[in-house]
């Protein structure tokens, strides 16, 4: 068993061996059989705009975008469909600002599976050898909230895993701390992105979108808390945002694809203007 101090540092960027504190708990609570959970789908498609910015000094922005696979009996998770359709949608409708979408990944809807998937992306991003002063990386996560009718930009994630039902690997933590460094389940991490500004921009484009401080306590929150933790560890170049989407019965697939494109564009403009 590793020391508590090493476990509390979580997964660091570029580390090949996973030592995330989440796995410390999962190893106690969930039988994983020594097998690395696979990412459900990992589609690496670069989407670049047809035109570039006039201001050559603006930073190059790289996106890694994730959704989730099936969960709780929902076989066709809308966010997995978005991950499959977005590459073509962005090629057909080029981005206005200079950005690169380096990956679209469908993660398993489980604590251990989502964390392995995220770590895989982190390692591959590190392997790209970006120059820190030249590139800003955005970790953009999508998840389904079946009870909402509009998009929700999540401002924070909470240090609590409290699953109301088991994840896709049968893990069902209740009121459990995610990362002990933060000591209590009442601790939250917040995105450094100006979420209200982003909301206003998207509302101006006639999208129904709100901000939220409650991403739930299921795998969405679990993933977001780790993602924000990683972004904090690499704060000079990385930002993270989680977006909850409604079912397609509330907002059509086509509208959600348009929303995702505009979200990427507005985030690019915002991040290029941020001081890091």
């Amino acid at each position: 068993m590793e020391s508590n101090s090493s476990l509390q540092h979580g997964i660091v960027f570029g580390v090949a061996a996973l030592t995330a504190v989440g796995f410390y708990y999962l190893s106690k609570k969930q039988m994983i059989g020594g097998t690395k959970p696979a990412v459900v789908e990992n589609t690496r498609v670069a989407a670049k705009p047809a035109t570039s910015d006039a201001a050559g000094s603006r930073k190059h922005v790289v996106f890694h975008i994730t959704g989730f696979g099936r969960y709780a009996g929902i076989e066709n998770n809308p966010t997995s469909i978005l991950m499959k359709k977005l590459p073509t949608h962005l090629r057909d409708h080029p981005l206005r600002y200079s950005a690169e979408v380096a990956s679209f990944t469908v993660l398993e809807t489980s604590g251990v599976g989502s964390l392995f998937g995220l770590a895989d992306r982190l390692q591959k991003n590190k392997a790209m050898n970006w120059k820190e002063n030249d590139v800003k990386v955005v970790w953009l996560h999508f998840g389904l909230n079946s009870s909402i009718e509009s998009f929700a930009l999540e401002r924070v994630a909470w240090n609590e895993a409290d699953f109301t039902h088991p994840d896709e690997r049968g893990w069902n933590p209740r009121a459990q701390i995610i990362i002990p460094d933060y000591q209590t389940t009442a601790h939250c991490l917040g995105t450094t992105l100006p979420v209200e500004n982003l909301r206003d921009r998207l509302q101006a484009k006639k999208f129904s979108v709100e901000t939220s401080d409650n991403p739930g306590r299921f795998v969405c929150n679990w993933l977001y808390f780790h993602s924000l933790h990683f972004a904090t560890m690499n704060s000079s170049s990385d930002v993270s945002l989680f977006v909850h989407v409604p079912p397609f019965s509330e907002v059509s697939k086509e509208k959600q694809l348009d929303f995702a494109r505009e979200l990427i564009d507005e985030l690019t403009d915002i991040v290029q203007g941020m001081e890091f």
Side-chain angles (χ1 to χ4, degrees):
M1 179 63 68
E2 299 180 47
S3 68
N4 286 337
S5 61
S6 65
L7 288 166
Q8 289 174 352
H9 284 296
I11 300 173
V12 296
F13 286 90
V15 175
L18 298 175
T19 57
V21 68
F23 296 129
Y24 171 72
Y25 285 104
L26 287 167
S27 65
K28 287 186 173 184
K29 301 293 185 180
Q30 179 185 25
M31 182 64 69
I32 60 176
T35 302
K36 178 179 175 180
V39 177
V40 175
E41 181 178 338
N42 194 352
T43 307
R44 299 187 64 189
V45 179
K48 297 182 179 180
T51 58
S52 60
D53 304 296
S57 62
R58 287 160 71 88
K59 304 299 183 184
H60 182 54
V61 180
V62 175
F63 285 83
H64 292 284
I65 307 179
T66 73
F68 286 106
R70 69 176 186 181
Y71 85 100
I74 300 175
E75 291 293 330
N76 295 314
N77 189 321
T79 64
S80 68
I81 296 173
L82 291 178
M83 293 307 100
K84 294 172 184 176
K85 299 293 185 182
L86 265 174
T88 300
H89 187 76
L90 293 179
R91 283 194 292 266
D92 293 343
H93 305 83
L95 299 167
R96 296 191 308 277
Y97 297 107
S98 181
E100 178 183 350
V101 183
S103 68
F104 303 87
T105 304
V106 178
L107 302 172
E108 183 182 273
T109 312
S110 71
V112 68
S114 64
L115 212 51
F116 266 121
L118 180 60
D120 178 72
R121 279 288 106 220
L122 291 166
Q123 291 171 25
K124 286 181 170 60
N125 181 71
K126 186 69 174 181
M128 292 177 181
N129 293 319
W130 305 117
K131 291 184 178 180
E132 187 173 290
N133 293 332
D134 296 335
V135 173
K136 302 305 177 187
V137 180
V138 180
W139 299 92
L140 179 58
H141 309 292
F142 288 94
L144 172 67
N145 185 339
S146 298
S147 65
I148 61 176
E149 299 177 355
S150 59
F151 301 100
L153 308 177
E154 301 293 350
R155 284 186 288 226
V156 301
W158 298 88
N159 191 31
E160 180 178 22
D162 190 28
F163 295 4
T164 56
H165 54 82
D167 68 12
E168 287 300 298
R169 290 187 171 263
W171 188 44
N172 194 191
R174 301 314 305 265
Q176 179 175 297
I177 288 175
I178 295 175
I179 298 181
D181 268 352
Y182 301 107
Q183 298 183 345
T184 74
T185 58
H187 189 92
C188 68
L189 294 177
T191 180
T192 55
L193 290 163
V195 177
E196 287 75 15
N197 180 10
L198 179 60
R199 175 202 60 202
D200 293 346
R201 288 170 176 238
L202 293 167
Q203 286 180 345
K205 295 180 181 296
K206 309 303 180 184
F207 291 105
S208 179
V209 55
E210 302 295 340
T211 58
S212 166
D213 293 325
N214 184 16
R217 301 296 186 273
F218 192 50
V219 180
C220 292
N221 177 73
W222 165 273
L223 175 72
Y224 195 24
F225 195 85
H226 280 99
S227 182
L228 288 167
H229 177 64
F230 302 150
T232 299
M233 293 167 62
N234 202 43
S235 59
S236 61
S237 61
D238 291 57
V239 293
S240 176
L241 179 67
F242 197 101
V243 180
H244 268 121
V245 305
F248 287 152
S249 58
E250 296 294 340
V251 179
S252 71
K253 177 180 66 179
E254 290 73 21
K255 187 74 170 178
Q256 294 207 27
L257 287 168
D258 288 342
F259 171 82
R261 176 192 174 279
E262 292 296 338
L263 174 64
I264 294 167
D265 251 337
E266 295 300 338
L267 279 171
T268 299
D269 189 40
I270 288 172
V271 170
Q272 286 177 334
M274 290 175 65
E275 294 292 332
F276 287 84

